[in-house]
Amino acid sequence: MTRIALLSCLVALAFGPAACNRSSTEATPATASTAASAPSTAQAKTPAYTDQDISDAWIYLLGRLLVLRQQKADLAEGWKWNTMVHRKPGAVDWPNPNLDVAYSEAWVAVDENSCTIVTVPKITGRYYTVQFLNGWGETVANINERTQAAHPSGDFAVCLKGANVTLPPNTTRIDVPVKYMRVLARVELGDHWDEATALQHKFGMRATGTPTPPTLPASPDFDVQHLPGVEAFENAPAILDSEQDINAGMEGVAAKVRAIAEGIRDPAERARVDKVVREKAMADLGKAGALIGHGTTRDGWVRPAVAGTYNDDWPGRTLVNMGGIWANRMDEVIYYKSSMDGTGAQLNGDHVYTLTFPKDALPPKFADYFWSVIAVDPVHARVLPNPKNRFLLNRETNPKPNADGSLTLFFAADKPADAPDGNWLPTPKGQDYRLTFRFYGPKGGVADGTYYPPPLVKRS
């Protein structure tokens, strides 16, 4: 794949994932894909996997590699296990950050003899959650007033299922299926950031015992512009063994990964696999970027079918891990993404766009907690710098309604003359970008999948 083609692929990836043509449970014939890929020796056996198998296996494994890459980066930063790191608002380094919240983060280890006590302060009138994810980016628990209605604050013991641990009095036990987890605590910033950050620093955690941290397997270094080729498979068995996939039905695609890892011990087969990854698998991943998981689209906006928990949609999981790692479950938040206006043209900072909500369908109607929209670059999904240092529109920017009760948001490099300041999101002149619209505590049409934001209209 040429560099231009690969960058086009990654633009599609950053926009959002869609399903690959194959499901994880489909059977594939154990035959060679082409004569050109056959071993040079006539007597040699053809590998028992096809080009499509290679593509499927690579996309599946990439989902784990993306989380492992972030884990290694966090630990290299000096994180200690079972200890929270409280971030300043906006000071996180991953794709599509939520700038409405203050984040606290941790890596947690539990085992048969040790749980992790998580302390949650009393919070009223403000969104919060403590999210736990496994090494594939699957959400395994949330702690908040929705999941723990009887006791939404206090001490919670996160324990490996079946662990025999004596817990302190007045501690709520939460069982999880894995030993190692990534934690994100989110506290809504709202109008008073000082209050939010004070609450953030009251979250804490400690282990009841001395769990053994994992030994992380060797894995390739890469970024979204330089994805790994055949080297993704070099230590694949150890990578799979380091974190079991908790979803049912993944044995087939995992077996393909292991078979390819064995096959590339032959130099000719290694060259073949690398060629298939770079020419087919990366292209397949790029094509999948038109939708999110098995998502749906209307008026230029894409709504995911999966986020936070993925069942058998491993292509969607990989793409979410690439374009918005640490996504939460869809009962917590729904994300809509768009890189185009209502006519299908790419969004670009040289133009002015408007987004108008009718008075009977304003954003707060569809969110129990809050809504927001951010602009990010289409490759790395990072927020875009601008002279105003405004990176999102939400209730706190105080957008003004129109005279008829509708609401118009503006996206432009320079503020349009008729745009109230709080309705305008600065965008980068001369650059493409995409938007992410969030609804926290989704309800109504957002929750049931019938609602999409209005189309973006290019004014000039």
Side-chain angles (χ1 to χ4, degrees):
M1 177 180 286
T2 66
R3 180 173 177 83
I4 293 175
L6 178 56
L7 287 175
S8 298
C9 161
L10 292 168
V11 168
L13 291 178
F15 172 62
C20 292
N21 292 329
R22 306 179 57 81
S23 75
S24 60
T25 55
E26 279 187 275
T28 53
T31 57
S33 55
T34 63
S37 64
S40 55
T41 358
Q43 293 78 16
K45 289 185 177 179
T46 300
Y49 46 81
T50 66
D51 286 4
Q52 186 63 57
D53 292 337
I54 294 170
S55 178
D56 289 352
W58 181 82
I59 293 171
Y60 174 79
L61 182 61
L62 183 60
R64 170 74 178 120
L65 291 174
L66 287 159
V67 177
L68 187 58
R69 179 185 67 157
Q70 186 63 50
Q71 183 178 21
K72 290 184 175 182
D74 293 341
L75 296 176
E77 192 179 323
W79 291 25
K80 296 180 180 179
W81 286 88
N82 298 307
T83 303
M84 275 193 171
V85 176
H86 299 297
R87 298 292 193 187
K88 293 181 179 180
V92 294
D93 184 28
W94 62 70
N96 259 310
N98 181 356
L99 303 178
D100 303 275
V101 301
Y103 282 107
S104 298
E105 308 172 76
W107 282 97
V108 163
V110 298
D111 61 20
E112 293 81 359
N113 302 303
S114 179
C115 299
T116 295
I117 306 295
V118 180
T119 299
V120 178
K122 184 178 180 180
I123 300 176
T124 57
R126 187 187 298 269
Y127 175 87
Y128 72 94
T129 194
V130 186
Q131 179 194 11
F132 294 77
L133 305 100
N134 76 351
W136 290 87
E138 299 270 353
T139 301
V140 296
N142 272 290
I143 301 174
N144 52 48
E145 76 273 21
R146 295 168 297 288
T147 63
Q148 305 293 329
H151 302 284
S153 61
D155 285 345
F156 299 84
V158 178
C159 302
L160 181 66
K161 185 177 180 180
N164 184 16
V165 179
T166 300
L167 299 174
N170 303 316
T171 300
T172 302
R173 176 166 172 156
I174 298 173
D175 283 345
V176 292
V178 294
K179 289 186 175 182
Y180 310 112
M181 291 160 285
R182 180 59 145 79
V183 172
L184 275 82
R186 298 171 174 88
V187 179
E188 181 186 358
L189 289 169
D191 293 311
H192 304 289
W193 286 26
D194 54 344
E195 294 178 6
T197 55
L199 287 168
Q200 171 196 19
H201 284 265
K202 292 181 180 180
F203 285 81
M205 60 174 52
R206 68 187 188 278
T208 65
T210 54
T212 303
T215 300
L216 301 184
S219 57
D221 292 328
F222 66 94
D223 59 43
V224 296
Q225 289 183 285
H226 305 91
L227 296 175
V230 68
E231 61 270 22
F233 294 101
E234 287 176 347
N235 199 33
I239 290 168
L240 294 181
D241 291 342
S242 70
E243 182 75 27
Q244 182 179 356
D245 194 333
I246 62 174
N247 291 324
M250 298 297 101
E251 298 82 5
V253 68
K256 295 174 186 176
V257 173
R258 294 179 187 275
I260 295 163
E262 178 67 22
I264 64 171
R265 295 170 64 182
D266 174 70
E269 184 59 17
R270 180 184 177 89
R272 175 214 166 199
V273 169
D274 193 59
K275 185 173 188 290
V276 172
V277 167
R278 297 185 184 282
E279 295 183 358
K280 177 173 174 55
M282 291 183 182
D284 286 349
L285 197 61
K287 292 173 186 175
L291 299 172
I292 305 170
H294 293 85
T296 51
T297 183
R298 191 167 76 203
D299 292 333
W301 291 94
V302 178
R303 183 187 190 276
V306 291
T309 53
Y310 302 93
N311 299 313
D312 65 350
D313 190 358
W314 47 265
R317 180 174 66 187
T318 293
L319 285 158
V320 171
N321 286 349
M322 176 172 281
I325 198 168
W326 316 137
N328 213 332
R329 301 186 328 182
M330 295 179 75
D331 57 344
E332 288 290 319
V333 55
I334 298 291
Y335 310 86
Y336 293 83
K337 298 183 182 181
S338 180
S339 62
M340 61 187 69
D341 64 21
T343 69
Q346 170 66 48
L347 300 177
N348 185 276
D350 281 342
H351 304 294
V352 175
Y353 302 92
T354 59
L355 179 61
T356 299
F357 298 87
K359 66 178 181 180
D360 60 348
L362 299 177
K365 178 178 179 178
F366 303 104
D368 275 330
Y369 296 99
F370 59 86
W371 63 272
S372 69
V373 58
I374 65 172
V376 298
D377 81 85
V379 174
H380 298 95
R382 297 314 202 262
V383 291
L384 295 158
N386 61 78
K388 194 174 180 63
N389 286 325
R390 173 179 289 167
F391 305 109
L392 80 168
L393 297 177
N394 60 8
R395 181 178 63 83
E396 283 73 46
T397 64
N398 195 27
K400 303 296 185 185
N402 299 316
D404 63 358
S406 63
L407 175 68
T408 299
L409 305 180
F410 297 79
F411 305 88
D414 301 309
K415 189 178 85 66
D418 59 337
D421 183 73
N423 299 47
W424 166 52
L425 184 65
T427 54
K429 190 177 292 290
Q431 294 183 39
D432 292 345
Y433 64 90
R434 66 178 174 89
L435 301 177
T436 300
F437 213 115
R438 289 178 168 88
F439 292 89
Y440 263 78
K443 62 181 181 179
V446 169
D448 66 25
T450 59
Y451 173 83
Y452 289 77
L456 286 146
V457 176
K458 184 168 74 172
R459 176 187 281 188
S460 63

